[in-house]
Amino acid sequence: AHRLSRRDALRTGGGLLGVVGAMALTARTARAEPWNWSPADSVAGGGDGADPLTKYDPDADTVLADVIDHADVPEVNRLLATWIYNDQPLPAGLPKNLADFIESARQLPAWADQGKLASSFEFNKKRGLYLGVLYAFASGMMSTVIPHEALAVYYSRGGSHLKERIAKTAKFGYDIGTVNAYGDGGEMIVTCVKTRIIHASVRHLLPRSPYWPAGVTPISQDDLMVTWHSLATTIMRTLTAWQVPIPAAESDGYLHSWQLAGHLLGIRDEYIPATWEQANAQASQQLDPILAPTAEGKDLANQLLNLGADLDLTLLSRGILGAFTRFVMGDKVADWLAIPREPVWSPLLEVAWGPFVAVREGVLAVAPVVDAPYWMFDEFLRQFALWYVAELRMPLSIEIPLTNR
Ligand code: HEM
């Protein structure tokens, strides 16, 4: 195990936060139970079964280490900012190894299925109102109790620009649901490949941070799948728990859109689950047991609750967003993050959210208990959608970082 000693932390000015986080990090570079998820259950249908904790992304990592150390990164970022659409040729002037890498990384795999992607769009269109709030307060909040991710985000550049980072992640969730996400004129292939490039950059840069424990490489294939489950699997689990009716084709389509995202983010096909059943099985081995609080994650969660603070949207207050978090993530996670129960909204959500969804989805005709909260819940979702759209209007460009926090 690589340990950041207390003396090192003091010498580098790491302070208490750094020591606590680094200890959480070193606690899990090995697995309690041996990795036994079968690659036969993946989109590849087979593989060598190696533990993803020991795998990274060598093709991207080699190129980005070279680009960061030897190329003109601001110029590369300026060029990459002009590359937006899936079917758009790369701009001239990129370093050759980077251009070659992108040309191979932007190819869709043979198993990409346009019919499933059409169903995915249908799903996103129908459930879009829930998806924004779930990407932020189910997946986003969950990321703060995924120790490796919370630490990587906190000590990378994005940790000090959290609003911008949330907006970029929101854009990822938005792009994946657009009509032509992976087709001509869409942007998802570009967004994924750029994100893969950023992750490779983080693997190169973050180990140079004085707050990062020596010898630990961030963002393993395991970490990538953990985050994948915090997004796709967690959202499908939540909608299922809410009893939102989802036709099988749409549920498969949504899975497919995330399988492709995983592939384009550099996750090896042998780790990408083939079905929701396999995704759930993998998540119960990979995601559920590793959730834990860290000082860094608590700080990020606290910032996330301030998301609506400078807006004129009264239902996006800290109290209400906290109550929603507690309702979706459960008491254990909310307690870890020191998010209090909200006296009005917590009981309201517990009693009335289920019937609200049932009425909204046409499963129940009218439930008397829902009357007053129905309007408030609808308004909450509407205000969240307003925030989401406003964020997406900001010009966003995913850029190769040059520094840590
Ligand atoms: C950057 C998405 C997995 C840590 C980004 C960006 C996106 C993204 C869209 C660009 C945002 C920006 O430029 O600020 C995803 C998705 C993932 C995933 C969809 C998995 C399905 C992970 C994991 C970690 C991680 C597992 C760490 C363990 C980071 C860090 C950055 C980043 C440190 C650098 C940007 C910054 O915050 O400065 N990710 N990510 N990501 N991601 Fe990920």
Side-chain angles (χ1 to χ4, degrees):
H2 302 279
R3 211 178 281 281
L4 181 72
S5 75
R6 195 175 128 74
R7 197 192 66 239
D8 286 347
L10 291 176
R11 180 167 52 74
T12 57
L16 183 63
L17 216 50
V19 175
V20 171
M23 277 164 32
L25 182 82
T26 52
R28 205 191 69 88
T29 43
R31 213 181 280 282
E33 299 286 327
W35 175 252
N36 62 10
W37 189 79
S38 169
D41 298 329
S42 71
V43 292
D48 63 14
D51 189 332
L53 262 180
T54 64
K55 302 286 176 198
Y56 297 88
D57 186 1
D59 293 348
D61 296 346
T62 311
V63 171
L64 267 298
D66 181 60
V67 167
I68 290 172
D69 288 345
H70 302 116
D72 179 352
V73 174
E75 172 64 7
V76 169
N77 279 331
R78 202 187 57 74
L79 291 169
L80 282 180
T82 67
W83 182 50
I84 297 165
Y85 301 106
N86 298 337
D87 52 333
Q88 186 185 347
L90 278 182
L94 289 172
K96 183 170 184 323
N97 58 352
L98 182 62
D100 288 348
F101 166 74
I102 293 176
E103 289 303 353
S104 100
R106 74 191 289 185
Q107 302 303 320
L108 286 177
W111 46 266
D113 181 329
Q114 294 305 323
K116 286 186 179 172
L117 289 176
S119 302
S120 170
F121 175 63
E122 203 53 35
F123 171 80
N124 276 277
K125 207 168 51 175
K126 284 205 218 156
R127 311 298 167 201
L129 200 56
Y130 303 121
L131 290 175
V133 77
L134 288 178
Y135 279 128
F137 285 91
S139 309
M141 259 317 164
M142 188 176 272
S143 76
T144 73
V145 290
I146 297 173
H148 285 193
E149 187 176 356
L151 280 142
V153 168
Y154 190 89
Y155 291 112
S156 67
R157 187 186 159 277
S160 52
H161 299 74
L162 193 73
K163 253 205 110 169
E164 191 188 319
R165 194 191 137 84
I166 293 171
K168 286 179 179 171
T169 312
K171 179 171 160 52
F172 197 97
Y174 175 82
D175 283 354
I176 204 170
T178 52
V179 61
N180 228 356
Y182 294 98
D184 289 356
E187 301 182 25
M188 197 57 195
I189 295 177
V190 174
T191 299
C192 287
V193 171
K194 284 185 179 176
T195 302
R196 183 174 176 188
I197 285 173
I198 304 311
H199 289 154
S201 308
V202 169
R203 288 191 198 97
H204 186 62
L205 286 174
L206 200 51
R208 299 177 181 180
S209 162
Y211 303 105
W212 198 257
V216 173
T217 306
I219 320 186
S220 67
Q221 291 275 319
D222 190 70
D223 291 325
L224 286 168
M225 275 314 299
V226 166
T227 300
W228 189 95
H229 286 302
S230 77
L231 291 153
T233 311
T234 301
I235 283 182
M236 193 48 80
R237 282 175 169 179
T238 306
L239 291 176
T240 305
W242 291 354
Q243 298 182 307
V244 173
I246 303 171
E250 289 172 29
S251 155
D252 286 352
Y254 184 60
L255 173 64
H256 194 65
S257 73
W258 273 103
Q259 289 168 328
L260 281 182
H263 176 93
L264 291 164
L265 284 167
I267 301 177
R268 292 158 56 145
D269 285 357
E270 68 188 88
Y271 298 130
I272 301 174
T275 63
W276 280 121
E277 200 189 336
Q278 287 309 330
N280 279 317
Q282 198 189 50
S284 61
Q285 179 175 3
Q286 206 167 24
L287 172 74
D288 305 341
I290 59 110
L291 299 180
T294 57
E296 290 83 351
K298 274 166 107 163
D299 185 80
L300 294 172
N302 185 46
Q303 293 187 57
L304 194 50
L305 289 179
N306 280 339
L307 175 121
D310 49 358
L311 300 172
D312 218 14
L313 301 170
T314 50
L315 295 187
L316 303 189
S317 69
R318 275 182 73 88
I320 295 174
L321 291 174
F324 190 78
T325 302
R326 180 173 282 275
F327 176 63
V328 175
M329 303 295 294
D331 288 331
K332 185 171 80 175
V333 169
D335 288 346
W336 282 346
L337 296 172
I339 298 173
R341 253 180 87 81
E342 208 276 346
V344 175
W345 276 74
S346 286
L348 206 58
L349 284 162
E350 285 156 18
V351 173
W353 185 264
F356 161 71
V357 170
V359 170
R360 220 180 160 275
E361 299 304 323
V363 176
L364 273 183
V366 190
V369 65
V370 177
D371 253 19
Y374 190 103
W375 176 83
M376 281 204 285
F377 289 161
D378 223 41
E379 183 62 13
F380 170 71
L381 289 174
R382 196 188 67 85
Q383 291 196 2
F384 198 87
L386 281 178
W387 169 83
Y388 199 59
V389 169
E391 285 298 301
L392 293 173
R393 234 182 264 128
M394 293 180 3
L396 291 174
S397 160
I398 297 178
E399 295 191 336
I400 300 173
L402 271 169
T403 58
N404 293 308
R405 182 175 191 158

